Amino acid sequence: MPPRKTAAGQGELPGISTMADLKEILWKAADKLRGSMDAGQYKDFVLGLVFLKYVSDAFEERREQIRQELINEGVPESRHAGFLDDPDEYEREGIFWVPEGGRWADLAAQAKSGAIGELIDAAMDAIMKTNPSLTGVLPKLFNRDNVDQRRLSELVDLISDARFSGHEGKSARDVLGEVYEYFLEKFARAEGKRGGEFYTPASVVRILVEILEPYKGRVYDPCCGSGGMFVQAEKFVLSHRGRRDDIAVYGQEANERTWRLAKMNLSIHGISGDLSTLWADTFYEDKHPDIKADYVMANPPFNMSDWYRKTDDPRWRFGTPPAGNANFAWIQHIISKLGTRGSAGVVMANGSMSSKQSGEGEIRTALVEADLVACMVSLPPQLFRTTQIPACLWFFAKDKSSRGGHTDRQGQVLFIDARNMGTMVDRTERVLTVDDAAKIADAYHAWRGTASARDAGLAYADEPGFCYSANQDEIRTHDHVLSPGRYVGAPEDDVSDDEPIAEKIDRLAKDLFIHFDESARLEQIVRTQLERIDA
């Protein structure tokens, strides 16, 4: 494809022939606008602008559909305006009404006027006023002194050229959804530790979703970040021939900017979730006090020490969490939200599997003895670019009986050791592949005897070094420590004596790397404790 000019005819751009091209070109262009903005403001700025383009493209796409429907029905052109300008015709299709003056074509036509920032702020305001679900969500920061208006106009030109509807046969919503998720990931990487507040690696979310299988029902996340858990749940439903309204989404987020990102993310994906009308701290002000969810998916902040705590909170059924660590506060809050047959998947720091400090061991014991823990998964290092703390997955089930065709797993826990899985995508980051996620999920479903396992002909068997099903008596002998490595044992040694030397070196180096990573983690824990003592 030959180079194309921007909408305003300024310069030439490489042809946008693939989704990868589209994402990368938009990111590089947006990156020029950093200026003097802080990282959080810059994120709001770029994602807000992309969202504005999306709602306009989706609006125009729907407008053309209405026009074609009227023509096909033989409606005289003189009567078209009444239908084309009826907000209800858009709202019932999940499309936001975009008033005149706020449409992207109007903005693109005035990109070089010198007042583009003022016009964009006005467009954001107009869209929020005409769409109550977006009230207080869209950013209005484009006309500030620290925004380079010349570069902003260039970015508007570029985004005008990158039309989001009809790209690679996808709708505007699908294309923009992919771009939005791509940008969230890029921002999370750029912001380092702060990025973990709003983004969970997609491969980790995939495991949560594939194990829980949220086909239908209420899905809840008490610390929803930018809404990635909900988006993946929706994709799961649609990939299994379900409909968007098969699941009802409920969430809460304490950070104002992140809450706005989540609201936009859900809107882009056509998910009408209830994230409350405002951001709020889940421990201080539960925005969904009466929810009983079928599925809970969450990635709470690891080892959070500064949190609102009441010792008489009714959620602490299994023991009062320590003031210095909210891990078991999150776990107990999540369990309190599960319905009669609800299940949950939670990302936690590894310490939660073995810690005995400040009553955490007693809480973990109570959870096991109540038969709520269904599965534990230890994850490989370097999955989370935003933290070096090793992580694991806890899966809870309110009902592990044989009802619904499932295998009866009462009094048992499945342990999966995935520490050796994953692929390094660069020097510092690892991802779990689709096959990795499938292997973990298949082991769980075979163990549980779910319909998907039966359809796939899967039968469970312990696999040394990977998975093991333990009963409560065995867990008691380990003092209720839930680290999978204690249970799965060593993998069967299938490496022959004539293993090529290069492969043997690579294998041993990999094992040594994991050992050093664990040693570094333990050293950091010791240093932290010493610093607390010195203080």
Side-chain angles (χ1 to χ4, degrees), residues 66 70 73-85:
I66 296 171
L70 295 172
E73 293 170 6
V75 177
E77 188 173 350
S78 59
R79 294 178 54 197
H80 284 193
F83 294 95
L84 294 173
D85 296 329

Side-chain angles (χ1 to χ4, degrees), residues 364 367-369 371-377 393-395 400 409-416 444 447 460 462 467-475 480-484 487-488:
R364 186 173 55 252
L367 293 170
V368 173
E369 294 297 331
D371 204 17
L372 289 167
V373 182
C375 178
M376 300 296 302
V377 180
L393 303 178
W394 289 66
F395 290 93
K400 292 194 284 185
R409 290 297 181 181
Q410 294 181 94
Q412 299 175 57
V413 176
L414 176 64
F415 292 93
I416 297 177
Y444 177 82
W447 177 79
Y460 178 76
D462 292 337
C467 62
Y468 180 81
S469 180
N471 59 36
Q472 288 188 348
D473 286 338
E474 188 170 357
I475 295 172
H480 294 91
V481 170
L482 300 180
S483 303
Y487 299 88
V488 302

Side-chain angles (χ1 to χ4, degrees), residues 50-59 164 172-173 176 267-268:
V50 173
F51 182 82
L52 182 61
K53 178 61 162 65
Y54 155 72
V55 295
S56 188
D57 266 16
F59 174 83
F164 291 113
R173 172 174 290 156
L176 199 281
S267 296
I268 284 173

Side-chain angles (χ1 to χ4, degrees), residues 55-68:
V55 295
S56 188
D57 266 16
F59 174 83
E60 295 296 348
E61 198 173 64
R62 174 59 185 156
R63 195 173 182 84
E64 184 57 31
Q65 288 175 355
I66 296 171
R67 194 189 314 277
Q68 288 302 317

Side-chain angles (χ1 to χ4, degrees), residues 111 132 170 223 235 406 417 463:
K170 300 178 180 180
C223 44
K235 288 181 177 180
H406 290 183
D417 190 345
E463 181 181 330

